[in-house]
């Protein structure tokens, strides 16, 4: 099989040493393996800047969506109401979860290239005091927009609402002061900015809130409270855990620390993203999201104007030369997406941009 560099928002390109951790088989009941789980939980709290006396980390089998749904089905009771902020497909997926679960919810929906408006949100909260929770995606990889978590967190604190942040594609790559922002539940995944492989997600939860969730979940396997109680006892997952993925993630956490932690990784991602957008703008490929709202995770690019541009042909050309990119996820505009997280450096972005420049030059001849 050919080796490609994945320019996607996860799964992403991992180091050889992370991959090598998956070559060994481990027993879920073994104390050595359970100690890996406990070490991961502790390290995640460190990244979040969270005191273990106030927060805990709960790991949950499945993709990141499983972890989000575990919070939605466990943290919101039949007596609660959640305000879901959406400006992309992943916020809309949370709405879909609420519908499946049967939650009482309200949706504040805005255009994919817009930030939520503080005044409008304040009006919604004042008009509907029955709202108890607020849920929002931090980095919407639909477009690459980075939503203003500080603004929403401030409103949640001001109005006494429980705050749920889907930080799937930002945690570990963008500094997030979880306790400082007053986030009650932060959700992310193994195969994003910490640069592990797919197989589980995790929730950094405020203990005061988590302790109230017994019996709330509408799902056995996604019961966040029961998962926490079992895992807190001795590091044992309630059901079969993805042992190879867990070991790889432990190595990825070590490599994050070796790189210099989240600040260093954030700077690498930011430099990658700046270089990518600047180089492609020079050949007429412009970002959909304005720079002030752009995350350093993934960028959505508009199809070039005035040319017959085939994404399938473009994708194949780039892939043949060693890079895999992403199709667009918008419905009203033709776009494609390029991620710059994972084991990707400036020289990789330079090489990719050279390939794209060659392709665009060939189109113009």
């Amino acid at each position: 099989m050919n080796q490609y560099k994945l320019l996607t928002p996860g799964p992403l390109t991992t180091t050889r040493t992370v991959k090598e951790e998956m070559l060994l088989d481990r027993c879920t009941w073994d104390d050595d393996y359970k100690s890996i789980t406990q070490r991961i939980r502790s390290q995640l709290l460190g990244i979040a800047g969270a005191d273990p006396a106030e927060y805990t980390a709960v790991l949950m089998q499945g993709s990141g969506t499983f972890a989000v749904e575990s919070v939605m089905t466990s943290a919101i009771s039949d007596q609660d109401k959640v305000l879901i902020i959406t400006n992309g497909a992943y916020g809309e997926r949370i709405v879909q979860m609420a519908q499946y679960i049967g939650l009482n919810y309200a949706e504040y929906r805005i255009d994919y290239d817009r930030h939520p408006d503080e005044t409008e949100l304040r009006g919604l909260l004042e008009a509907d005091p029955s709202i108890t929770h607020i849920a929002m995606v931090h980095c919407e990889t639909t477009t690459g927009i980075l939503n203003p978590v500080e603004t929403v967190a401030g409103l949640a604190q001001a109005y006494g609402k429980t705050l749920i942040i889907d930080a799937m594609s930002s945690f570990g790559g963008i500094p997030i002061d979880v306790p400082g922002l007053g986030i009650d539940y932060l959700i992310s995944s193994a195969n994003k900015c910490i640069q592990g492989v797919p197989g589980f997600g995790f929730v950094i939860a405020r203990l005061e809130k988590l302790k109230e969730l017994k019996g709330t979940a509408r799902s056995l396997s996604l019961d966040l409270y029961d998962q926490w109680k079992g895992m807190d006892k001795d590091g044992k997952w309630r059901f079969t855990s993805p042992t190879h993925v867990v070991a790889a993630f432990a190595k990825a956490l070590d490599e994050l620390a070796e790189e210099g932690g989240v600040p260093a990784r954030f700077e690498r991602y930011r430099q990658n993203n700046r270089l990518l957008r600047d180089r492609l703008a020079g050949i007429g490929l412009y970002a959909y999201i304005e720079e002030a709202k752009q995350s350093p995770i993934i960028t959505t690019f508009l199809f070039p104007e005035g040319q017959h541009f085939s994404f399938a042909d473009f994708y194949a050309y780039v892939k043949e030369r060693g890079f895999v990119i992403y199709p667009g996820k918008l419905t009203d505009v033709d776009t494609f997406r390029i991620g710059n997280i994972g084991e990707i450096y400036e020289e990789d972005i330079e090489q990719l941009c050279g390939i794209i420049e060659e392709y665009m030059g060939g189109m113009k001849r």
Side-chain angles (χ1 to χ4, degrees):
M1 180 177 178
N2 291 329
Q3 296 297 309
Y4 305 106
K5 292 198 173 180
L6 301 181
L7 299 178
T8 65
L12 39 67
T13 299
T14 57
T15 63
R16 177 176 294 276
T17 44
V18 164
K19 296 179 182 73
E20 286 173 349
E21 288 296 316
M22 295 187 287
L23 296 176
L24 300 177
D25 299 317
R26 294 169 173 85
C27 172
T28 58
W29 289 92
D30 185 76
D31 285 342
D32 288 342
Y33 174 72
K34 289 190 288 186
S35 70
I36 295 175
T37 296
Q38 298 295 54
R39 180 164 61 90
I40 286 172
R41 297 176 68 208
S42 177
Q43 287 174 297
L44 289 173
L45 291 183
I47 294 170
D51 185 341
E54 297 180 1
Y55 283 86
T56 189
V58 186
L59 316 184
M60 182 66 68
Q61 296 95 324
S63 70
T65 298
F66 285 58
V68 175
E69 191 160 356
S70 76
V71 172
M72 298 302 289
T73 192
S74 302
I76 303 169
S77 73
D78 292 337
Q79 290 72 47
D80 294 326
K81 183 175 183 178
V82 57
L83 174 63
I84 306 170
I85 300 169
T86 67
N87 60 350
Y90 296 96
E92 291 165 8
R93 185 177 294 177
I94 297 177
V95 171
Q96 191 176 14
M97 289 176 193
Q99 293 169 343
Y100 267 73
I101 298 167
L103 300 179
N104 188 18
Y105 75 93
E107 180 183 4
Y108 170 65
R109 185 168 186 161
I110 51 178
D111 293 339
Y112 282 13
D113 60 348
R114 277 189 59 205
H115 274 165
D117 182 86
E118 182 176 1
T119 302
E120 292 175 354
L121 284 172
R122 192 178 295 274
L124 288 171
L125 294 171
E126 291 181 354
D128 189 354
S130 68
I131 292 170
T132 55
H133 295 63
I134 301 173
M136 185 183 73
V137 175
H138 185 205
C139 175
E140 254 292 358
T141 53
T142 306
T143 60
I145 195 169
L146 190 66
N147 281 320
V149 67
E150 295 85 0
T151 298
V152 175
L155 289 171
Q157 288 185 324
Y159 287 89
K161 311 303 181 185
T162 298
L163 183 58
I164 300 168
I165 295 296
D166 176 341
M168 203 63 58
S169 298
S170 57
F171 185 78
I174 298 175
I176 304 173
D177 181 1
V178 173
L181 291 167
I183 298 172
D184 297 296
Y185 300 95
L186 180 139
I187 311 152
S188 193
S189 178
N191 61 295
K192 303 291 186 178
C193 292
I194 295 175
Q195 298 184 184
V197 299
F200 74 90
F202 54 87
V203 181
I204 295 172
R206 189 188 297 275
L207 282 167
E208 180 184 2
K209 299 285 186 177
L210 188 59
K211 290 174 180 177
E212 299 173 353
L213 303 188
K214 185 176 182 179
T216 302
R218 291 86 165 171
S219 166
L220 172 64
S221 59
L222 299 179
D223 188 329
L224 187 66
Y225 177 89
D226 277 0
Q227 186 87 337
W228 164 60
K229 293 300 288 185
M231 196 165 282
D232 220 37
K233 185 178 180 181
D234 63 356
K236 178 73 172 65
W237 302 55
R238 287 182 302 151
F239 308 117
T240 303
S241 64
T243 53
H244 299 79
V245 175
V246 170
F249 187 72
K251 181 63 175 176
L253 281 169
D254 291 342
E255 292 182 356
L256 171 61
E258 291 165 7
E259 186 174 347
V262 175
R265 185 154 292 179
F266 173 62
E267 186 58 28
R268 172 163 64 88
Y269 288 172
R270 187 165 60 176
Q271 292 293 346
N272 285 348
N273 187 262
R274 182 180 293 117
L275 175 61
L276 175 69
R277 287 186 290 106
D278 288 349
R279 283 283 299 269
L280 294 194
I283 56 171
L285 292 172
Y286 299 106
Y288 173 75
I289 297 296
E290 63 182 85
E291 185 173 353
K293 300 175 183 175
Q294 173 68 52
S295 75
I297 306 300
I298 187 169
T299 306
T300 292
F301 291 96
L302 301 166
F303 280 16
E305 293 183 1
Q307 300 180 51
H308 177 67
F309 180 82
S310 165
F311 176 75
D313 183 66
F314 174 60
Y315 177 89
Y317 184 92
V318 173
K319 182 179 178 181
E320 286 171 2
R321 288 153 182 80
F323 295 93
V324 173
I325 61 174
Y326 243 34
K329 208 174 179 68
L330 303 175
T331 56
D332 57 339
V333 185
D334 289 326
T335 62
F336 62 90
R337 295 176 290 168
I338 300 179
N340 50 257
I341 63 175
E343 190 66 0
I344 300 294
Y345 296 87
E346 285 193 33
E347 55 266 32
D348 300 304
I349 301 298
E350 294 278 11
Q351 184 181 355
L352 170 74
C353 290
I355 292 167
I356 294 174
E357 287 166 357
E358 290 173 4
Y359 179 85
M360 296 298 293
M363 283 182 59
K364 293 175 182 177
R365 286 198 294 271

